[in-house]
Amino acid sequence: MDDFLDKLPEMDLMRSEKMTLVQLIIPVESAHRCVTYLGELGLLQFRDLNADKSPFQRTFATQVKRCGEMSRKLRFFKDQIDKAGLRCLPRHEIEPDIELGDLERQLADHEHEVLEMNSNSEKLRLTYNELLEFKIVLQKASGFLVSSNAHAIGDETELHESTYSNNGFIESSSLLEQEMRHEPLNQSGLRFISGIINKDKLLKFERMLFRATRGNMLFNQTPSDEEIMDPSTSEMVEKIVFVVFFSGEQARTKILKICEAFGANCYPVPEDTTKQRQLTREVLSRLSDLEATLDAGTRHRNNALNAVGYSLTKWMTTVRREKAVYDTLNMLNFDVTKKCLVGEGWCPTFAKTQIHEVLQRATFDSNSQVGVIFHVMQAVESPPTYFRTNKLTNAFQEIIDAYGVARYQEANPAVYSVVTYPFLFAVMFGDWGHGLCLLLGALYLLARERKLSTQKLGSFMEMLFGGRYVILLMALFSIYCGLIYNEFFSVPFHIFGGSAYKCRDATCSDAYTVGLVKYRDPYPFGVDPSWRGSRTELPYLNSLKMKMSILLGIAQMNLGLILSFFNARFFGSSLDIRYQFIPQMIFLNSLFGYLSLLIIIKWCTGSQADLYHVMIYMFLSPTEELGENELFWGQRPLQARFCYCLWLSLPFHGCFFQNLLHSEKFTWRFQGRTYGVLGTSEVDLDVEPDSARGHQEEEFNFSEIFVHQLIHSIEFVLGSVSNTASYLRLWALSLAHSELSTVFYEKVLLLAWGYENILIRLIGVVVFAFATAFILLMMETLSAFLHALRLHWVEFMGKFFHGDGYKFKPFSFALISDDDE
């Protein structure tokens, strides 16, 4: 048997790649180029030899800080380009590589230039906004002043002064200076303050003015009729022009303080109409000049950003790679001579030749007189786990890794999940109409694979695109199971020939509950269409799907136990085979394996035996005659033997054998295994590497192992029952999906189609389409997906999968993301 198993060909994904711990001794002059070439190769995972040092104490902390500062500047340029709405495509011609020091100087010059232009632009924009507000206030406030003058009594109430706040937007306008130097008015005269405020603050502003002046003021307002850019947020906001009439110096002081608190800008408006027109012309003239200046500044700024944008992508890639190189160099140690850097890392065994060639090329390109020393080391701790995947298997491997990374060279569940996962999904989702819809979606993702792989997708779309091959297989298996269930949007079709049933006579052509008789061989593939609508449809389909769920569950759990055997055999753990695998196989198949056998025999013979009665009295009265529940000759003594084997398997799976564990525990761990792979599942790998050999000196505690194994035995016994019951979700979700489809078809589509009104028919079709798309194709798909995930993670993988390994994460430029900056 062992010779036969040894001759079986190895599966690519069955076990992780063999890993080797290597040491590199690199001369300082070629260290940067060596690490760069290794990053391009992407097959070496460096170990951090300076884990006890903070990032600021490491050798290349200064270079990392410089790269971080350059990354900040590049992000600043990218934000400025996006903010300006520019689309800068990289040049097609090949640009020469730039040194890091030259790039640093260029980025500093470009940043200084852009910051200076931004500062000047902000000042000009602020001045422009203030002049624009001044123009609006002049236009709107003049109407209030004319109305006020018409009702004034005598010249003694003539307005001599307009009060304003010193915002600094006017520098040397002659007319404005005249307004500022206007002679003070009579202290008892009527005054006014004009300005502009945000619309959302107007109500609170007016209420505060009324309370501060105790109602001794007149407040007039009017919309500005045009939006103004807010300098702080660069958003267009709607503002209101106001004029406040008041009397007294104390009221003036209060109003100015309130205006300042609410962010209202106050502007001087002369009473004289001639002065108003002259001031308006001056403001318009300055606005025109500022617009031209702003346009010229924007064009100059865009040209500068375009010059940066052409090389921005390449510069960001260069800085990102350089930072990754120096971060990796910080993981290396100097030797005692301070002339060489010493590094350690894991690499796949097949990659040793490639790494050696890359290091030789780096030595030659750096003109180093001393080559890199590359040799293999012996390791005690467990190596990282690395699976070589492709576009099809990568999504399934990610599903398994979401539960836990496989232990080094442990059997990989992803090999079998490529088939079992979409198949169990399809058992719950089976409808070949819905499967076709999923297939169209998967084909769309595959057709646009090249384009979508280069675009930045949203989180939901990225998830769908990453699982495109999973969706494709789920769709194909759903079509297959839908043909078995004979359901197309819950409607059966005579695809593979006519029904095996017909009416008893000519008067029952429409009969579904009575009058049907079988007149020929069974329907060749899947469920006979005549079951649809019959009185026994639900009992028949429930029995079929429930028994099928049990068969599939027992088959998958047996597969998990068989994989546990291959794991124990691979790691050389004979105790796991004798006292875990064999008792578990006997227990599971003596109970549920026997039940599966009875189901198959009942299907084949058409017997009416009650399987519930058989399984219950198998334990209550193992020697009792079965009578009409007997399915085959010799069933009673067979099931009695199964019952005895079941009870006998429990002590072997129990605790008494563990006294043997102490003598062999550490022998398994070190003898014949290069990396110290543990021989049993009872020894934890989550220990510090330096203390791995210290376990040989630990005191043997029999009581602790006894309790642990007892719990493990009870857990398996109860888990076998609960896991088998858990597979009944295949039946439950399949039934729910079928019944929902039937409800939407009969109670929505057919009901609406029974009316002669075209509008009602159209509404029925729309409701049916939305219900199918959002409930059956989205919610039901997600539900079946999650339930299939649970069956694999718990019921299947729980039989053999430890999942306590850690991923192989090589230093690779291809794996560097934007977040790593």
Side-chain angles (χ1 to χ4, degrees):
M1 181 65 177
D2 290 341
D3 295 338
F4 171 74
L5 294 175
D6 291 336
K7 292 178 182 178
L8 290 177
E10 293 186 2
M11 300 175 67
D12 288 341
L13 280 175
M14 182 62 182
R15 302 197 183 277
S16 60
E17 294 289 339
K18 293 182 178 180
M19 306 298 289
T20 303
L21 181 64
V22 298
Q23 186 181 56
L24 309 176
I25 302 178
I26 312 172
V28 174
E29 62 270 14
S30 60
H32 184 277
R33 193 177 295 271
C34 286
V35 174
T36 301
Y37 287 4
L38 289 173
E40 293 173 353
L41 180 62
L43 288 174
L44 180 63
Q45 174 180 331
F46 286 91
R47 296 173 62 188
D48 191 358
L49 303 180
N50 298 313
D52 56 334
K53 296 181 180 179
S54 68
F56 304 102
Q57 294 174 328
R58 305 203 178 197
T59 307
F60 300 95
T62 304
Q63 288 83 348
V64 172
K65 184 177 180 181
R66 289 172 56 196
C67 292
E69 181 65 17
M70 285 188 284
S71 297
R72 181 197 63 78
K73 293 176 182 177
L74 290 170
R75 289 194 299 270
F76 166 74
F77 292 134
K78 189 175 185 300
D79 293 340
Q80 292 296 310
I81 291 173
D82 294 339
K83 189 176 179 180
L86 303 177
R87 186 180 179 186
C88 301
L89 299 176
R91 292 191 176 97
H92 295 289
E93 61 268 15
I94 300 177
E95 299 181 16
D97 293 334
I98 185 172
E99 293 293 334
L100 196 63
D102 297 337
L103 178 58
E104 188 175 18
R105 285 189 291 273
Q106 286 190 31
L107 293 179
D109 294 340
H110 286 303
E111 184 187 32
H112 177 74
E113 181 183 8
V114 173
L115 287 175
E116 187 175 358
M117 287 188 291
N118 286 346
S119 177
N120 294 334
S121 177
E122 288 176 4
K123 292 178 181 178
L124 291 174
R125 175 60 62 181
L126 182 63
T127 303
Y128 178 82
N129 286 345
E130 291 174 345
L131 286 173
L132 184 61
E133 290 179 350
F134 193 12
K135 182 197 75 171
I136 295 173
V137 170
L138 285 172
Q139 293 173 348
K140 297 294 183 179
S142 59
F144 298 129
L145 298 180
V146 171
S147 175
S148 175
N149 286 335
H151 295 82
I153 303 174
D155 293 337
E156 61 209 25
T157 60
E158 180 181 356
L159 302 178
H160 295 288
E161 179 181 343
S162 297
T163 311
Y164 56 92
S165 65
N166 185 13
N167 287 326
F169 67 93
I170 301 297
E171 295 181 356
S172 60
S173 176
S174 59
L175 189 57
L176 294 179
E177 289 177 353
Q178 294 177 14
E179 290 299 317
M180 294 169 63
R181 294 194 299 266
H182 203 284
E183 60 183 13
L185 291 178
N186 190 339
Q187 296 296 325
S188 62
L190 183 63
R191 303 183 180 192
F192 73 90
I193 293 177
S194 57
I196 192 167
I197 190 173
N198 286 359
K199 184 178 180 180
D200 55 352
K201 299 180 180 179
L202 179 65
L203 185 60
K204 295 179 181 179
F205 177 65
E206 184 179 0
R207 188 178 302 162
M208 183 60 71
L209 289 176
F210 183 83
R211 291 176 179 176
T213 59
R214 299 183 180 181
N216 296 320
M217 62 94 188
L218 178 63
F219 187 83
N220 293 295
Q221 58 170 316
T222 183
S224 62
D225 295 337
E226 60 179 297
E227 293 184 340
I228 302 173
M229 179 181 291
D230 187 352
S232 59
T233 62
S234 299
E235 295 180 356
M236 303 301 292
V237 295
E238 188 175 353
K239 294 196 173 186
I240 301 295
V241 177
F242 66 88
V243 177
V244 183
F245 294 96
F246 61 92
S247 177
E249 184 63 25
Q250 187 176 4
R252 171 182 175 276
T253 304
K254 290 181 179 180
I255 293 173
L256 286 177
K257 289 182 178 180
I258 294 173
C259 290
E260 182 180 0
F262 279 85
N265 297 325
C266 301
Y267 299 96
V269 178
E271 280 185 81
D272 194 311
T273 307
T274 304
K275 290 184 178 181
Q276 288 180 8
R277 287 196 295 267
Q278 182 181 353
L279 192 56
T280 302
R281 284 195 298 270
E282 291 184 14
V283 171
L284 290 175
S285 174
R286 295 190 60 184
L287 279 174
S288 177
D289 295 339
L290 278 176
E291 286 179 358
T293 306
L294 283 171
D295 291 340
T298 302
R299 287 194 299 270
H300 180 62
R301 179 172 173 273
N302 290 344
N303 291 336
L305 291 176
N306 278 325
V308 174
Y310 290 136
S311 303
L312 183 64
T313 303
K314 181 181 178 181
W315 289 349
M316 293 182 73
T317 303
T318 300
V319 173
R320 196 180 302 126
R321 290 173 54 146
E322 288 294 322
K323 185 175 183 295
V325 168
Y326 285 115
D327 282 334
T328 305
L329 287 172
N330 277 331
M331 301 171 71
L332 277 58
N333 258 339
F334 272 105
D335 68 341
V336 292
T337 63
K338 300 294 182 180
K339 296 181 179 180
C340 294
L341 288 169
V342 180
E344 296 178 3
W346 293 101
C347 71
T349 303
F350 69 84
K352 288 192 295 183
T353 304
Q354 302 177 50
I355 293 175
H356 188 64
E357 293 174 354
V358 163
L359 293 176
Q360 287 181 337
R361 182 162 56 90
T363 302
F364 178 79
D365 292 346
S366 59
N367 298 321
S368 176
Q369 301 298 323
V370 182
V372 179
I373 300 176
F374 174 77
H375 64 90
V376 177
M377 298 176 61
Q378 295 295 324
V380 174
E381 69 271 21
S382 178
T385 302
Y386 174 50
F387 294 104
R388 282 189 284 181
T389 58
N390 53 33
K391 291 187 291 186
L392 173 63
T393 58
N394 182 66
F396 292 98
Q397 189 64 57
E398 290 296 327
I399 290 175
I400 300 302
D401 291 344
Y403 175 80
V405 179
R407 184 181 291 183
Y408 176 63
Q409 293 215 312
E410 182 181 27
N412 184 16
V415 177
Y416 307 93
S417 299
V418 173
V419 175
T420 60
Y421 189 88
F423 177 70
L424 291 184
F425 168 87
V427 170
M428 295 179 277
F429 191 75
D431 187 302
W432 64 278
H434 298 152
L436 285 175
C437 296
L438 284 182
L439 181 62
L440 292 176
L443 292 178
Y444 169 79
L445 293 174
L446 292 176
R448 297 176 60 86
E449 179 178 354
R450 181 173 299 178
K451 183 176 181 180
L452 292 175
S453 61
T454 59
Q455 293 180 355
K456 189 173 182 180
L457 307 174
S459 57
F460 179 73
M461 191 63 189
E462 185 178 3
M463 179 184 64
L464 287 181
F465 180 71
R468 58 195 181 279
Y469 289 100
V470 179
I471 299 174
L472 175 65
L473 291 177
M474 291 193 306
L476 294 176
F477 278 106
S478 296
I479 294 173
Y480 170 73
C481 290
L483 291 174
I484 291 180
Y485 298 156
N486 202 348
E487 291 186 6
F488 177 82
F489 294 99
S490 79
V491 181
F493 284 88
H494 294 76
I495 301 175
F496 302 101
S499 172
Y501 299 89
K502 66 176 181 179
C503 290
R504 191 182 303 275
D505 52 51
T507 61
C508 65
S509 58
D510 296 327
Y512 286 95
T513 57
V514 294
L516 292 174
V517 294
K518 185 175 182 181
Y519 74 101
R520 66 178 184 184
D521 292 337
Y523 192 68
F525 185 83
V527 176
D528 194 308
S530 295
W531 286 107
R532 172 61 182 243
S534 67
R535 184 172 54 187
T536 55
E537 177 190 8
L538 273 182
Y540 168 72
L541 291 179
N542 277 344
S543 176
L544 171 68
K545 293 182 178 180
M546 179 178 64
K547 293 180 174 64
M548 182 183 64
S549 300
I550 294 175
L551 293 178
L552 293 175
I554 298 302
Q556 191 175 33
M557 287 193 291
N558 272 289
L559 175 61
L561 289 178
I562 292 172
L563 290 177
S564 72
F565 163 76
F566 282 104
N567 269 343
R569 184 179 178 277
F570 180 82
F571 293 127
S573 175
S574 58
L575 286 184
D576 279 348
I577 297 175
R578 292 197 299 268
Y579 297 111
Q580 287 194 12
F581 167 70
I582 294 177
Q584 288 177 1
M585 286 290 288
I586 292 174
F587 180 88
L588 181 66
N589 290 289
S590 295
L591 181 60
F592 299 108
Y594 175 60
L595 174 61
S596 303
L597 177 65
L598 295 181
I599 291 173
I600 295 174
I601 294 176
K602 183 177 180 180
W603 278 352
C604 295
T605 61
S607 172
Q608 299 297 316
D610 185 0
L611 299 186
Y612 296 107
H613 182 277
V614 172
M615 296 304 297
I616 291 173
Y617 282 90
M618 174 181 174
F619 296 95
L620 296 181
S621 301
T623 59
E624 182 181 316
E625 292 293 335
L626 298 175
E628 62 181 8
N629 291 322
E630 187 172 2
L631 287 166
F632 56 91
W633 179 84
Q635 178 181 353
R636 184 178 61 81
L638 177 63
Q639 74 178 23
R641 288 181 174 85
F642 278 146
C643 185
Y644 298 147
C645 290
L646 184 147
W647 291 114
L648 288 175
S649 67
L650 296 180
F652 282 90
H653 193 265
C655 314
F656 73 89
F657 73 93
Q658 289 289 353
N659 60 347
L660 302 175
L661 185 61
H662 182 54
S663 61
E664 300 184 33
K665 179 178 179 181
F666 302 105
T667 303
W668 300 338
R669 181 163 185 159
F670 294 107
Q671 287 187 358
R673 302 304 302 169
T674 304
Y675 301 108
V677 179
L678 304 187
T680 70
S681 59
E682 310 306 327
V683 185
D684 193 3
L685 270 176
D686 294 334
V687 294
E688 291 296 326
D690 296 334
S691 62
R693 297 187 182 273
H695 283 281
Q696 290 184 341
E697 306 301 328
E698 288 182 1
E699 182 182 355
F700 179 70
N701 191 334
F702 178 79
S703 60
E704 181 180 344
I705 296 178
F706 183 92
V707 173
H708 179 82
Q709 188 65 17
L710 180 62
I711 294 173
H712 186 66
S713 303
I714 296 173
E715 180 185 10
F716 176 78
V717 172
L718 298 179
S720 298
V721 179
S722 64
N723 290 350
T724 305
S726 181
Y727 276 95
L728 293 178
R729 70 184 69 231
L730 299 174
W731 157 48
L733 266 76
S734 175
L735 178 65
H737 187 84
S738 176
E739 291 303 310
L740 275 175
S741 301
T742 303
V743 168
F744 291 142
Y745 175 72
E746 293 181 352
K747 303 302 181 183
V748 177
L749 188 61
L750 291 185
L751 187 64
W753 212 254
Y755 292 89
E756 298 297 331
N757 192 325
I758 187 65
L759 181 60
I760 296 179
R761 289 186 174 183
L762 183 61
I763 293 175
V765 171
V766 172
V767 172
F768 175 77
F770 271 87
T772 300
F774 291 100
I775 297 180
L776 296 178
L777 291 180
M778 292 184 65
M779 294 179 61
E780 282 287 303
T781 299
L782 180 60
S783 174
F785 182 91
L786 294 177
H787 281 285
L789 197 65
R790 145 80 197 221
L791 291 177
H792 279 76
W793 280 359
V794 179
E795 279 70 29
F796 173 52
M797 293 163 52
K799 300 293 183 293
F800 68 96
F801 187 69
H802 294 92
D804 54 359
Y806 61 101
K807 266 189 176 182
F808 175 62
K809 297 180 179 179
F811 170 59
S812 174
F813 293 143
L815 300 179
I816 300 175
S817 63
D818 294 341
D819 297 334
D820 296 331
E821 294 184 14

